Every structure is written in structure tokens, then in C-alpha cells.
Amino acid sequence: MLVELISVEMASSRGPERVNITVMEDEKSEQYLKGRGAQFNTKNRFLKNERVKEHIEAIDDWEESNPATQYFEDTAKGLVNKVDSPDVGMMYSMNPYQGCEHGCIYCYARNSFEYWGYSAGLDFEQKIMVKKNAPELLRKFLMNPKWECVPIGLSGNTDCYQPAERKFRITRQLLEVCNEFNQPVGIITKNAAILQDKELLVKMARKNLVSVLVSVTSFEESLRRVMEPRTTTGQQRIRVIRELTNEGVRAGVMLGPMIPGLNEHEMQRIMKSASEAGATFSAYTFIRLNGAIKLLFHDWLYKNFPDRADKVWHLIESSHGGKVNDSEWGRRMRGEGNIAELVSQQFKKYNMRFGLNAERWELDCTQFRRPGSQIRLF
Ligand code: SF4
């Protein structure tokens, strides 16, 4: 039998007091939470109150429950964010969902989920905030005469084609607004659900309003299933590239992140397959484990790959000056040292070999127009 003890700080006549509230757990689950990346909730650095779990007989190991994903409506006040990081590649981004059910264990967006009062661990994959008013917010944003059109990134933080999109279709509605205004967008995704919107993307591509970056990290299903549990398979992502480029939608491949000892040896195969499917550009990032991701990834690595966990961990450390995290712009995405340098050189080599170094084209901002106004003249 499990209990959850929630430790809460409450006001009393003697000042703040810490009170334990006991919650019975009646859900049965497996020891390893299949279909989830994180296996526990990390502490939220912004919260005073902490949720802890203790076994009723005070035994250290207990079973964690794995409830179904929950969706919460978030009436956001704003949607389009200015991106301050100079190494991200888009000046503005919008995210219809917060949290991501894909559950990639290395995901850097986990840390930002703490701002919403949740944990970067299981919460991030199980509690998805849905911005149902996102299309209205985008429309309002684009109608503002102060908006000088530049491309906006869809999925700057979380994946806009995660499973929630099949249910809520917020991304679809955002694309419809962009198409109406001739607002260019850059999309990045790990899910074949993007093909639901192929027809609309083709229309936008004819006006040079869209580019798609498909993130592919591995073709080894035994790795993907635990590392990115609710994403589409690697081969399905290649199919996405093929189907989009066959219809004239420009698409590239993102290798993010490359993890030494786990997937970096797949770089050549992934880039070759993407190129054969029609991708014309590529990008990559090198693993870094900032904030709560360090704990989550460490736990995940040793549970899933005990035979090589030490080696992988040390390779990551040696690529970030003895740590596993790095916040320095520019360097943080690439790492440093021998292994990171080798990955960088291989990326350049295969980029050339497979013709993935096409010059970046400019999405067309000149056609932007507000409904009811005249087309911009240049
Ligand atoms: S798909 Fe992207 S946003 Fe979603 S968990 Fe994976 S890395 Fe994070």
C-alpha cells in the first residue's frame, strides 16, 4: 500500500507550521513507468511547499503510479514571445501547449515548466496546459500595427504536434491564422501528426511562408522508446520529410541532441536517410543537462543502460568542462573538448557529403497583410 505525504506550510496563531497531509494511492503500476521519460518528480525550485512520497511501512523502494495525461485549459494573456538567446535561430516563438507528453528525458523545456508551479519531471509529461485562446491571441498580436513581420517559430519550447494536438487542434488554428495574414513560420517537431496539416502547409509553402525542421535522434527503437517515449519512430519522421518535400514543403533534419555513447554514432545514417528523403538543410545540438534535467537524466541513464551509464556520463562531463551543464550562449549547444569537437567535425563532413548544407533561404515577409488592409508595398 502506498501513501503520498504532502508537506504543506500553513499559517497558524503561532506562525507558519508545516503540516503533512496523507493521500492514499490506490492505482497499481509497474516499477518502471513505461511510456514516460522521467520516473519521478523533481523539486520545483520556486515552490516553498514540497510534495514527498513515503512508503507506509517505511521501506525505501515503492511503486510510482502512472496516471493518464491530464489537460488543463490555460487562458494565456500572451502567445508570441521574443527569444533573447542569440543561438536559437528564431527571434520570436509561440507555443500552443506547455508541458510535452513526448517526454524526452533530455528536454531543456522541462526546467521552464517549474515557472507554472509544476515539476520538471513526471508533471512535465503528464500535465499539459492547453492555450485554447491561442488563435485569438495570435490574431490580436498580428493586427497590432507595431508588428514588423519576421518569421515566428512554432515549437520554440514544446512540440506543437505532441499528442494533445490530435485532440485540440490549436496548432492547426494557428497555421490558419498565419496563412490568412501571410505570416511566415518555422516549425520543429518529432511527431508525424504534422502530416494532418499537409494540405495547409503545401498552400503556405507555395507562398514561401513555411519551413519544417524534423528532429530525428535515433533509428534504434530500443533507445527511442525509452528516451523519447511518446514520439513517432525515427523512420516515421523520415517519412514526414519525404511526404512534405514531395509536395514542395521545404524540410530539414535536426539532430538534437547528440549524446556520446548513446546515439552520436547514428549521425551519418540519420543525415543520409534525411537527405534521400528530400531534406535540404540540417542542424544539431549536443547534450547538456541543465537544472532538474541533470537528476532526471542520471536516474534514467542508470536504469536503462547500466552497462554503459558510467561511460556516457563521463563523456558528457568531459564535453562541458567537467560538468554536465552549460549556460554559455554559443558553447552550450555544441559542448567543448575532444568528443564535442569530433561530433562537430562529423556533422560538417556529412552535411557536405549529403547536400544538407543548402543556403538558408529567407521565408517571405513581404506578403504580410492584415485582413482589411492593403497589401504592403515595397
Ligand atoms: S518533443 Fe521537444 S518539447 Fe517535447 S519533450 Fe521532446 S524535446 Fe521536449
Side-chain angles (χ1 to χ4, degrees):
M1 173 63 69
L2 302 174
V3 293
E4 183 172 5
L5 297 181
I6 304 174
S7 178
V8 182
E9 195 170 279
M10 299 182 82
S12 78
S13 55
R14 295 181 299 279
E17 276 187 357
R18 190 154 281 279
V19 174
N20 282 339
I21 299 171
T22 306
V23 181
M24 305 304 288
E25 288 261 3
D26 48 9
E27 286 185 71
K28 295 243 182 317
S29 67
E30 299 192 24
Q31 186 70 21
Y32 187 88
L33 300 184
K34 287 186 181 150
R36 298 293 181 191
Q39 295 297 305
F40 63 97
N41 269 329
T42 46
K43 186 172 171 356
N44 184 323
R45 71 204 130 128
F46 300 116
L47 291 185
K48 267 211 298 191
N49 298 330
E50 190 180 355
R51 291 168 74 95
V52 293
K53 287 196 168 186
E54 292 178 11
H55 194 282
I56 200 162
E57 285 109 16
I59 297 170
D60 280 345
D61 59 335
W62 61 80
E63 290 184 347
E64 187 71 74
S65 68
N66 190 5
T69 303
Q70 295 172 281
Y71 300 103
F72 300 96
E73 188 170 340
D74 172 39
T75 41
K77 293 201 176 65
L79 180 75
V80 182
N81 298 309
K82 192 158 187 344
V83 180
D84 292 325
S85 317
D87 53 2
V88 168
M90 277 275 172
M91 280 172 67
Y92 290 87
S93 77
M94 55 185 169
N95 295 282
Y97 306 103
Q98 290 297 339
C100 185
E101 195 176 346
H102 283 162
C104 307
I105 190 62
Y106 50 73
C107 178
Y108 65 83
R110 288 178 178 278
N111 289 325
S112 61
F113 206 49
E114 293 182 350
Y115 291 111
W116 301 87
Y118 293 115
S119 165
L122 271 170
D123 279 354
F124 175 77
E125 314 170 32
Q126 287 178 329
K127 296 178 168 52
I128 308 300
M129 296 164 79
V130 180
K131 297 181 189 170
K132 284 201 176 155
N133 61 342
E136 283 163 49
L137 290 171
L138 178 60
R139 183 175 290 281
K140 197 169 151 201
F141 180 86
L142 296 178
M143 284 304 287
N144 187 337
K146 287 189 183 151
W147 172 244
E148 295 273 345
C149 179
V150 291
I152 299 177
L154 242 174
S155 299
N157 193 31
T158 58
D159 199 309
C160 62
Y161 282 104
Q162 61 174 286
E165 174 60 12
R166 290 194 189 270
K167 192 174 166 75
F168 298 103
R169 303 298 272 136
I170 314 280
T171 298
R172 167 71 192 204
Q173 294 172 61
L174 292 177
L175 287 177
E176 281 167 356
V177 174
C178 288
N179 187 41
E180 185 185 335
F181 282 74
N182 287 338
Q183 166 63 50
V185 281
I187 300 173
I188 176 163
T189 187
K190 287 183 162 86
N191 201 310
I194 189 174
L195 292 175
Q196 293 174 134
D197 294 334
K198 186 165 75 174
E199 221 174 287
L200 178 54
L201 293 169
V202 170
K203 266 191 211 164
M204 293 179 74
R206 287 194 188 120
K207 296 188 276 181
N208 195 13
L209 294 179
V210 68
S211 73
V212 176
L213 201 48
V214 180
S215 174
V216 186
T217 49
S218 179
F219 289 137
E220 289 174 16
E221 269 301 280
S222 55
L223 173 61
R224 186 209 59 81
R225 264 201 302 270
V226 290
M227 183 168 75
E228 307 166 336
R230 300 199 183 195
T231 53
T232 306
T233 66
Q235 290 298 349
Q236 287 297 318
R237 294 183 223 176
I238 295 294
R239 178 173 71 89
V240 169
I241 295 175
R242 183 175 302 109
E243 288 203 20
L244 291 178
T245 53
N246 278 349
E247 300 283 346
V249 180
R250 281 177 165 143
V253 62
M254 171 74 181
L255 298 98
M258 288 290 98
I259 309 171
L262 278 187
N263 70 346
E264 115 281 353
H265 64 283
E266 292 192 72
M267 190 177 244
Q268 178 178 8
R269 193 172 156 220
I270 293 170
M271 292 174 84
K272 183 169 185 284
S273 299
S275 166
E276 286 167 357
T280 52
F281 62 98
S282 65
Y284 86 97
T285 58
F286 193 90
I287 186 80
R288 66 190 165 99
L289 303 170
N290 285 22
I293 308 164
K294 177 179 173 180
L295 271 180
L296 294 166
F297 188 90
H298 188 275
D299 173 73
W300 171 88
L301 180 65
Y302 279 81
K303 277 181 177 147
N304 285 289
F305 301 98
D307 53 325
R308 49 184 149 148
D310 279 344
K311 181 180 159 208
V312 172
W313 192 258
H314 290 138
L315 286 171
I316 298 173
E317 280 179 334
S318 73
S319 305
H320 292 292
K323 303 175 296 174
V324 289
N325 60 320
D326 194 349
S327 301
E328 185 83 19
W329 284 342
R331 192 184 63 202
R332 62 183 188 158
M333 302 284 202
R334 295 280 180 263
E336 58 184 349
N338 293 345
I339 301 296
E341 184 52 34
L342 195 65
V343 169
S344 164
Q345 282 172 12
Q346 285 191 336
F347 175 77
K348 285 182 194 146
K349 183 169 84 181
Y350 300 134
N351 229 12
M352 292 286 285
R353 183 181 298 171
F354 300 124
L356 289 164
N357 54 347
E359 263 182 40
R360 283 297 177 100
W361 64 91
E362 299 273 317
L363 290 168
D364 189 356
C365 290
T366 64
Q367 302 170 76
F368 178 80
R369 64 181 167 80
R370 299 186 173 90
S373 66
Q374 291 191 330
I375 294 174
R376 270 168 71 175
L377 298 175
F378 290 84

